[in-house]
Structure formats: C-alpha cells, structure tokens
Amino acid sequence: MQIAVNVPAVSGVFDYLLPENLSGQVKVGHLVTAPFGAQIVQGVILRFIAQPSVADPKEVLALLAPEPVLTAPQLALAEKLAEVTLNPLSAIIGLMLPVGLSQQADVLYEAVDRAPRDGEQSQGSVVRQRLLNLLDERGPLRGRQIDSHFRNVDWRKSAQALVRRGLLTSRAVLPAPRVRPKLVRTAQLAVPLEAAEAAMPDLGRTDATLDRRQAAMRFLMKELDEVNVSWVYAESGCNLADLHKLAGMDLILLRESEIWRDPLQRIEKGSAATREKVLTSEQENALMKIKEALGASARTPGPCFLFHGVTGSGKTEIYIRAAQEAARRGRQTILMVPEIALTPQTVRRFLVHFPGQVGLLHSRLSEGERYDTWRRARQGLLKVVIGPRSALFAPLPQVGLIVVDECHDNSYYQSEPPFYNAAAAARMYAGLCGAVCILGSATPSVEQRYQAENGEMVRLSLVGRITPGSAGQPARSLELPPIEVVDMREELKAGNREIFSRSLSASLTGVLERGEQAILFINRRGAATYVFCRECGYTLKCPHCEIPLTYHTQPANSDLRCHRCGYQRRLPATCPQCGSRHIRQYGLGSEKVETDLQQLFPRARVLRWDWETTRQKDAHEIILSHFVSGRADVLVGTQMLAKGLDIPRVTLVGVVLADVGLNFPDPFAAERGFQLLTQVAGRAGRSELGGRVVLQTFQPDHYAIRYAAGHDVEGFYQQELAYRRELGYPPYRQLVRLEYRSRDENRAEAEAHKLGGYLVSRLEKDRHVETDLIGPAPAFFSRAAGVYRWQVVLRGPSPVDIIKGLLLEHPNWLKDWRVEVDPVSLL
C-alpha cells in the first residue's frame, strides 16, 4: 500500500506492508501509524498496490480510527492540489484532518541529573540555561511545547549541545490525538413508579442521605427519560455516590451517552415565516440554470458558474434554493464565506430551511466542536456545511453543490504554508465530485471574470438591487446608493482639520436624528499609525520588523504594537534618539475614529468591530447582534465590514480614508482597493429607507476611486485588464513567487541572488523566451519578526512547469524556499 506520512515538508508517498492482524480492516483513506526512519508517524492510506517499489518495506503499526478519515474525492483533491500548488502532499492532507486528530511526530526533551551543571552558566549560554531551568521546572516537554516559551529564538541547537553533554535526553514521540467523542453520564428510572415509591423509606440511614436520594428519585420519576446527571445534582442536591447506590439497588440505570458539541446551539434560529420568498425574473432565470446543472451533474461533472450580482441583489436566496435542490437529489452542499464574522447571519438563514442539518466549521470553534462537526459530516448527518476555507474539506459523502460566496476575497488564499487558493480548490473539488460550483460576488476578480469570458466558467448576472422581501411577497427594486466623493485636500484648504469632512459630519447628524444607523469604515487598526518626533524626525519602529509601531489606547499597558509580529512596548515620554519631549502620534486607525466620533456625538451609541475587539470566542456574533438589534447607532470597523453584511437600517456608509492600500507597489493593489470600496459602499441603502455613501480621499482622480464611486464594475474591469496586458500580469501571464527567509540578512540576499542567477541561466539555456524574472529583491516588508525576506518572482505562460522540471532534476533544490503559485500579493 502507499501512504502519505504526516511529516512536515516531506513530499511524495511511501510504500508499506499491511500486517496480517489488520487484514480486511484497512481501506483507502484510513488513518494509521507507521515507522518512518527513527520516528513513529501518522499517515493516510492513498491506495493499495500489487508490488511495492522498494525492497523489504516496513509494516503499518496500527489503525487509529475504525472509519476512513478521507473520502476518495478528497484524496484525489489532495493529490491534484499538491501537484498544482507545488506543496507537499502531506501538508495538503493535513488541511483535511480536524485539529487535534492529526498529530505530527515530535521530540521529547527531559533534563537529567543536575550534578554536572555547575559550569553551565559560566559558559555564557543564556538559551541553554533558560532551557535547563524550564525543564527542571516543568518536567519533560515536547519540542512544540518548548517553542511557546522561546518565541523567535532558535533553541534547538542549544538543546542538541546539551544532549551531547549528557545534560538532556531526547527521543522521538508521536502525541496521541487530542480529541475524542464527548460522553456524558445519564440517569434513568429503572423500575415502575409503584416500586420506586415503595423503596423510598429504605434509601439511606441518615436523614440527610435519605433526603438527597429521595429527591433524586422523585426527580427521575417525573422525567422518566434518561437525564444528564448534572441536572439531577442541581435538582436534588445528590452526588455521584448517591446515584451509584441507587443503581446498585437496581432502582435507576446509569449510562454514558455520546453528545454532539454543536456550536449552532448558541445561534438563535430564524423564523419559519421567511421560508418562501417570491423571486424576481433575474433570480428565476439564474436558479433555473443552476437546477439544470444539478440535474445533469449526476451524470457528468457539473459546470462552474460565475454568479455576478450587485450588492443586495439576492444571491443568498439563490444559494438556499440551489442547496434545497441538491438535498432533494440526495446530495450535500458546502457554502464557503470569506469571514468568520459572516457565518452567524448566513447560518440563520440556512437553519430555517435545514433545521438540525447545518454544520459550522471555522478556527474560532473549540477542537471538540470542529471534531464533532467533522464526524457528523462524514456520517452524512448534515445537508449543509458553512464556513471559511476549512469548510471545503468537510468529508461529506455526496457533495453536490459548492458555493464560494464573495469569491473575489483574498482571505480565501492561505498566506502561510501550504499556500493555496480555496476558491480555485473549490472548482477542482467540484469537478472531482461531479458537483456544481458557484463563485458568487459583486466584484469578481479580474482573473475570474476573464476566465468566464473565455469559456472556463458560465456567467450568471443579477444587475438589479432588491428589497429583502417577505414570505409570499415579491421583492421590490432598489437603487444602488449614491456615492459622494469628498476631496480631503479641499477640506484642509477650508480650515477643516478633523478626520470627518463637513459632508460626513452633516450626514451623521441626520442619521442620528432620524434614528437610523451608520457604518464608518477605515482599513487600519489602532488610534495612530505611527509615532514621530517633531524635533529630529525619528519614527518608532518594531525592532523585529522595521515597520512603524501602531499606537493603541486599549489596553493602556501596551500603547505601541506591531501588527506583524505582535511586539509591544509603552509609549515613551521622550524621543529615544534626541531626548525631545515633542513626540506625538500621527495617522488614523479604527480606535481614533471611534474616539473622535464619540467626542463629536456624545450621545451616539458606538460599537467598534476590528481585530482587537473580536479576539474572544463569539465576539463577532455579539457585536453584530447588538448592532442588528438596534442597540448601537454607529458601527466603526475595518475590512470585515465590507464582507456581505445585510443590515436594513443602515442608511449611511462613511469611508473615512479611501486611499489606504491603493499605493502599495503591488500589481493587485488597485483591484483590492476597488473591490473593498465597492463592497463597503454596498452596505448602505439595503431597504426602502434608502441610503448614501460619503467617500473621503486625498486621491479623487485615482481610477479605482472613480469607478467605485460610479458602481462601475465593467469600467474598472476593462481598464485594469488593459493595464495587466500591458505590464504582463495575470490573467495574461502566470506568477510563481519564491521567498527566502533568514535571520541573517546577508545569507537571505546571497541565497536570493544565487537562485536568481541560476534561473536566468536556465531560462536562457532552455529557451523560455516568454518567461522572465522579477528580482531578486527584498520583499516590500523586508523584515518580519526578526526574519529577513528576499524574493524572486517567475513570470511567464507556465512557470509552474519550469519549476517542476527543475525539481525533477534536483529534488531538494527549493527545500528552504517558500513557493507560492498564483500569489494574490507580491508584498
């Protein structure tokens, strides 16, 4: 058999033998343990083969779960995605296994006798001494546990030195899975009521014991069905010993029952009155084509639809109807959303139509919740699974429909290894499952639109905005909100130095007077984006990343923070360079907008929705539910505000600074800016109350701002496409980004130049005249968390094939490089 082993950065598959004791138990997709070098590792069985390719292959050791952990289409997706993205197969398979079940081999370190250590501190090794102290204090620890105590420190070389000196021992270990089914103890009456009543006087020798046990019996006599023992404790005051005594008297049954950890139990269900809405003719036409494809996909692989609908055009209702059609045909739906914050709104709408059959998957859930949702999906108990990237890998047995909502969003791209784009992976997976794929957006990417126009996808359009409608009532047409562009240079000339223009201030006043709601958008966190000395010009930067520190007012004990590595420090009273007291905070972030808004409108109820306010579990849901229910007047936030929110009472959207991100040296910067502005503008005017948008900018003539102000998706697409053609960027040429990271700046530069020189010579030798190189050069963010970053970008018709060919010649050629195929940013 062939197995993909769960070892980081290991590519390919390995041949193993099946021992006799596992014969007949093991299938493709099973999770097993197997020897790998000196380690014991986990692996997933990919296929059975007649003849191993190596002599004397090792035997599999054990089967970890009775059911396969991956379906056949999932295994096919893993192999195809690994090939296309140049990722190790094991890394892709790791994405598909629930956190806590998948485990990687580690090294266990343990301190030995302290006696020989007297000279350790005098040798000047701070790291070694810290490591010894940690192990003395905590006992044996695995490598990944030690990592959490040595952030940004390479402690492993020190550990190896201590092992050689006999001060530490080390051995390979495979941690056991951290998750398992949750069991609860239950109690149930085991005798008729008459027999229970007759036994009451003999339940205890003391009055206190008798009272507790009689109370427990009376509670169970009322309930009859099995009850969680914690309820029995609460109602009667009894304890487990009392229940064991009653069970020993054969009066009750004590059992352990499995329960599902379902995060949707916390989400308030929608009303059944919203079940049937009357569709517009545009919606009917789109739904008809999707239904036809769902019917045909049972016989042949379904098409992929690019569903281009303006904000508020009713795309979600079509997703629901399509999922119902898939369920009618005995198949399941995966609905992907770009932001965890969007899941409660989306889940409520689907729960109305699929009560008890909707699963939720995202990283803010506990390991147990994710594990149980994963198991329910595998058993076919769910009709719909909703979530961000991870939802794509739910092991549903008969996937019939995959929907990628807001398919343009960059959060579908995983920016850490293994690199992949979940929107592109969804199209692959749909083809392998024989399912229909829908990519929905008001602002599809240039590449997606180009692919649809060239026949790779079928385009569906909803050009009209509509009211939400109600059961049995047709939706009514709405106009897109007018967008006023305010030139902040003119505001400065007029003497207005506040962050709110006169127009935005007046609009906010009107909204508050009418009892409506507003959204203020600023794509920066914090109270100030940099701290600057007016005497010498010194800017406080992160010592690990060399980018300006952001000033935060909350929490007060960590005023300055790096948004890349998390470094924190207090705001100094004087300049660290010249000693001047003229050190001030400049720039604009979400905290600053919130503070200034409350000063301008003291009675306004303001909520802030950004990374700092949503770090706790369920924080997204709490903030959003408060705003939707009208317990706040203004919502201030960052880019998560732009992603699919539908709040009818929002009549004003203010973009406090539209210029953020437009001027980055990145070929995709203008597109990101246009999409963000168009999407956030679409949050206004989604009901008959109407709405408007005030867009503040210092660059009113930038083409992304001009087209966004006119809701002109077509105009932006044509101009951006012309720029891409002229400059040689996607969709006309493909990019592969290779990045080298090192704490040694000189080494990073040298390795980048070495690779760049080799690639140039190979391109010339192999006559790849249409492929060229960008770089070698430092990345725009050249240092992050103390690590220097250099990059080389290969650009051409098929740079992936060139890389594959070179890897066949030199398999370890790029082992220290991060390789991104089709990156969404070159920063």
Side-chain angles (χ1 to χ4, degrees):
M1 69 177 68
Q2 289 187 327
I3 293 178
V5 296
N6 191 6
V7 178
V10 170
S11 300
V13 297
F14 299 87
D15 293 352
Y16 284 87
L17 289 179
L18 185 67
E20 289 187 9
N21 64 308
L22 293 179
S23 180
Q25 302 178 47
V26 176
K27 302 176 183 176
V28 170
H30 261 126
L31 185 65
V32 297
T33 56
F36 188 79
Q39 309 172 84
I40 303 298
V41 301
Q42 285 185 352
V44 173
I45 297 176
L46 297 176
R47 61 184 63 86
F48 291 94
I49 55 176
Q51 184 66 37
S53 59
V54 295
D56 195 24
K58 297 179 180 179
E59 288 189 343
V60 166
L61 298 178
L63 182 64
L64 287 179
E67 296 294 328
V69 293
L70 297 181
T71 65
Q74 283 184 301
L75 289 171
L77 174 65
E79 293 196 278
K80 187 172 183 179
L81 196 57
E83 178 187 2
V84 169
T85 62
L86 303 179
N87 280 302
L89 177 59
S90 60
I92 299 296
I93 286 178
L95 296 170
M96 300 179 177
L97 299 178
V99 175
L101 179 64
S102 173
Q103 294 291 320
Q104 294 177 348
D106 207 339
V107 177
L108 184 71
Y109 293 93
E110 184 174 3
V112 295
D113 187 8
R114 293 182 58 93
R117 300 190 200 171
D118 296 339
E120 179 59 33
Q121 193 162 3
S122 64
Q123 295 177 15
S125 175
V126 177
V127 174
R128 292 180 189 180
Q129 191 60 51
R130 280 182 59 193
L131 186 56
L132 288 170
N133 291 341
L134 175 66
L135 293 172
D136 283 336
E137 179 183 343
R138 299 285 301 276
L141 293 175
R142 297 192 307 273
R144 293 185 187 88
Q145 293 173 313
I146 298 174
D147 283 338
S148 63
H149 295 272
F150 286 83
R151 188 174 182 179
N152 299 328
V153 175
D154 184 6
W155 57 268
R156 283 177 168 78
K157 291 180 181 178
S158 297
Q160 292 167 5
L162 292 172
V163 169
R164 288 194 297 270
R165 295 178 53 195
L167 299 179
L168 295 184
T169 62
S170 65
R171 60 186 176 88
V173 295
L174 179 66
R178 297 193 303 269
V179 290
R180 56 181 58 87
K182 184 176 182 179
L183 301 175
V184 296
R185 187 175 278 116
T186 61
Q188 184 178 15
L189 192 68
V191 296
L193 295 177
E194 298 80 4
E197 193 66 51
M200 287 292 189
D202 303 320
L203 298 182
R205 296 181 181 179
T206 67
D207 290 344
T209 302
L210 183 64
D211 290 345
R212 291 197 312 270
R213 294 175 182 173
Q214 286 180 341
M217 286 292 293
R218 295 199 185 283
F219 176 70
L220 293 172
M221 289 165 69
K222 288 189 297 182
E223 293 295 327
L224 296 182
D225 291 331
E226 60 180 340
V227 180
N228 191 319
V229 294
S230 60
W231 294 6
V232 185
Y233 300 156
E235 290 289 334
S236 66
C238 75
N239 53 43
L240 183 59
D242 293 325
L243 295 183
H244 276 303
K245 179 65 177 178
L246 297 176
M249 297 172 68
D250 295 326
L251 295 174
I252 67 171
L253 295 174
L254 281 179
R255 301 189 184 95
E256 282 195 334
S257 300
E258 181 181 344
I259 62 168
W260 296 116
R261 289 159 286 200
D262 185 3
L264 297 187
Q265 292 175 348
R266 300 190 296 269
I267 293 183
E268 182 181 346
K269 310 301 186 290
S271 167
T274 63
R275 286 193 177 183
E276 286 299 330
K277 296 180 180 180
V278 178
L279 301 181
T280 66
S281 59
E282 277 190 325
Q283 289 176 308
E284 287 280 11
N285 182 55
L287 182 60
M288 179 184 68
K289 292 180 179 178
I290 293 169
K291 283 185 173 181
E292 289 174 356
L294 284 167
S297 69
R299 301 180 296 275
T300 59
C304 181
F305 292 101
L306 180 62
F307 194 15
H308 181 194
V310 300
T311 55
S313 58
K315 294 187 291 294
T316 303
E317 185 65 25
I318 303 304
Y319 301 156
I320 292 171
R321 302 287 183 99
Q324 288 176 315
E325 179 66 16
R328 190 179 70 81
R329 296 177 178 277
R331 307 186 76 179
Q332 300 93 36
T333 295
I334 295 171
L335 173 61
M336 297 167 63
V337 294
E339 179 64 57
I340 292 171
L342 292 182
T343 51
Q345 271 197 326
T346 307
V347 163
R348 282 194 188 92
R349 294 191 62 177
F350 273 82
L351 279 173
V352 170
H353 303 276
F354 301 95
Q357 296 176 311
V358 178
L360 184 61
L361 281 173
H362 60 70
S363 60
R364 292 288 180 92
L365 302 178
S366 69
E367 288 186 356
E369 288 171 332
R370 282 184 274 178
Y371 179 58
D372 282 359
T373 301
W374 178 83
R375 289 195 302 134
R376 289 167 68 203
R378 185 177 64 177
Q379 294 175 25
L381 301 178
L382 302 175
K383 298 293 187 187
V384 181
V385 172
I386 300 174
R389 290 189 305 263
S390 55
L392 179 63
F393 304 122
L396 294 165
Q398 292 290 331
V399 178
L401 176 67
I402 302 176
V403 178
V404 185
D405 193 26
E406 310 294 355
C407 62
H408 66 278
D409 199 282
N410 282 351
S411 61
Y412 285 124
Y413 184 80
Q414 178 153 303
S415 57
E416 288 295 323
F419 303 105
Y420 75 100
N421 190 313
R427 293 176 60 185
M428 284 185 210
Y429 193 33
L432 293 166
C433 293
V436 172
C437 184
I438 302 174
L439 304 186
S441 176
T443 55
S445 72
V446 169
E447 292 96 317
Q448 290 164 347
R449 173 77 180 273
Y450 183 82
Q451 289 165 358
E453 291 189 350
N454 284 274
E456 296 180 45
M457 290 188 277
V458 177
R459 189 177 177 194
L460 302 176
S461 296
L462 298 178
V463 299
R465 172 177 271 202
I466 58 174
T467 60
S470 57
Q473 298 296 318
R476 289 180 290 277
S477 296
L478 293 173
E479 294 295 324
L480 289 168
I483 300 178
E484 176 189 359
V485 177
V486 177
D487 188 342
M488 294 302 285
R489 298 171 301 182
E490 296 300 321
E491 290 290 308
L492 289 173
K493 291 177 184 177
N496 179 17
R497 281 166 170 64
E498 302 301 322
I499 65 172
F500 303 121
S501 64
R502 291 164 293 177
S503 176
L504 183 52
S505 296
S507 298
L508 284 166
T509 300
V511 165
L512 295 172
E513 288 175 349
R514 294 189 299 270
E516 297 165 355
Q517 290 178 303
I519 285 175
L520 293 182
F521 169 74
I522 175 73
N523 199 23
R524 283 178 180 160
R525 294 150 45 198
T529 50
Y530 64 102
V531 177
F532 178 77
C533 175
R534 292 188 294 176
E535 288 289 333
C536 69
Y538 179 77
T539 299
L540 270 75
K541 295 184 178 181
C542 173
H544 308 299
C545 303
E546 296 181 352
I547 62 172
L549 294 169
T550 300
Y551 176 67
H552 287 263
T553 57
Q554 301 169 353
N557 63 349
S558 55
D559 299 329
L560 298 176
R561 192 175 309 156
C562 175
H563 287 172
R564 290 194 66 84
C565 73
Y567 169 80
Q568 297 178 2
R569 63 160 293 174
R570 297 295 301 273
L571 178 69
T574 60
C575 173
Q577 182 161 286
C578 73
S580 168
R581 290 187 173 274
H582 295 143
I583 188 162
R584 297 289 184 270
Q585 307 93 37
Y586 295 91
L588 185 61
S590 52
E591 285 185 33
K592 173 69 171 173
V593 172
E594 179 190 28
T595 301
D596 284 18
L597 181 67
Q598 289 178 323
Q599 290 174 352
L600 187 61
F601 300 101
R603 295 189 176 183
R605 297 168 300 168
V606 181
L607 286 174
R608 194 175 94 245
W609 199 21
D610 57 20
W611 187 83
E612 275 75 28
T613 62
T614 57
R615 284 183 288 178
Q616 300 299 318
K617 188 175 182 179
D618 298 329
H620 288 290
E621 164 72 355
I622 293 168
I623 292 172
L624 186 56
S625 64
H626 274 62
F627 191 62
V628 170
S629 63
R631 283 179 277 179
D633 305 307
V634 184
L635 182 61
V636 176
T638 52
Q639 60 184 351
M640 62 182 71
L641 288 175
K643 301 181 182 182
L645 292 181
D646 188 353
I647 305 172
R649 292 183 61 237
V650 172
T651 58
L652 173 67
V653 167
V655 180
V656 180
L657 187 60
D659 312 330
V660 177
L662 284 179
N663 299 311
F664 280 131
D666 184 66
F668 311 109
E671 181 181 28
R672 283 195 298 269
F674 170 79
Q675 290 168 337
L676 197 56
L677 295 174
T678 301
Q679 290 284 342
V680 76
R683 303 313 111 203
R686 297 174 77 99
S687 73
E688 293 180 335
L689 292 173
R692 65 191 300 262
V693 180
V694 178
L695 192 156
Q696 300 182 164
T697 177
F698 287 92
Q699 302 177 75
D701 296 325
H702 193 290
Y703 71 99
I705 290 176
R706 284 192 288 105
Y707 286 122
H711 300 286
D712 189 356
V713 175
E714 180 66 27
F716 177 82
Y717 170 70
Q718 294 298 340
Q719 182 160 343
E720 183 70 9
L721 195 65
Y723 285 158
R724 301 280 184 91
R725 184 187 298 111
E726 179 183 351
L727 298 173
Y729 284 111
Y732 297 103
R733 299 171 82 183
Q734 187 185 34
L735 303 179
V736 174
R737 178 173 178 266
L738 303 109
E739 181 187 317
Y740 192 89
R741 296 187 172 189
S742 175
R743 294 188 179 278
D744 184 333
E745 182 177 12
N746 293 329
R747 180 177 179 183
E749 181 178 359
E751 291 291 339
H753 281 287
K754 178 181 175 182
L755 177 64
Y758 176 71
L759 285 173
V760 167
S761 65
R762 285 303 299 257
L763 293 177
E764 293 174 353
K765 177 184 176 183
D766 298 336
R767 299 183 182 277
H768 293 293
V769 293
E770 295 183 357
T771 302
D772 63 357
L773 224 59
I774 304 173
F780 179 76
F781 298 108
S782 61
R783 190 176 177 222
V787 177
Y788 294 92
R789 306 166 64 229
W790 275 70
Q791 66 184 25
V792 177
V793 178
L794 201 58
R795 175 174 60 179
S798 186
V800 170
D801 291 337
I802 295 174
I803 297 291
K804 285 181 182 177
L806 296 176
L807 286 172
L808 285 175
E809 297 179 23
H810 311 287
N812 295 321
W813 175 56
L814 291 174
K815 74 180 184 65
D816 295 324
W817 286 79
R818 296 158 63 101
V819 181
E820 294 183 67
V821 177
D822 300 321
V824 297
S825 169
L826 297 184
L827 298 177

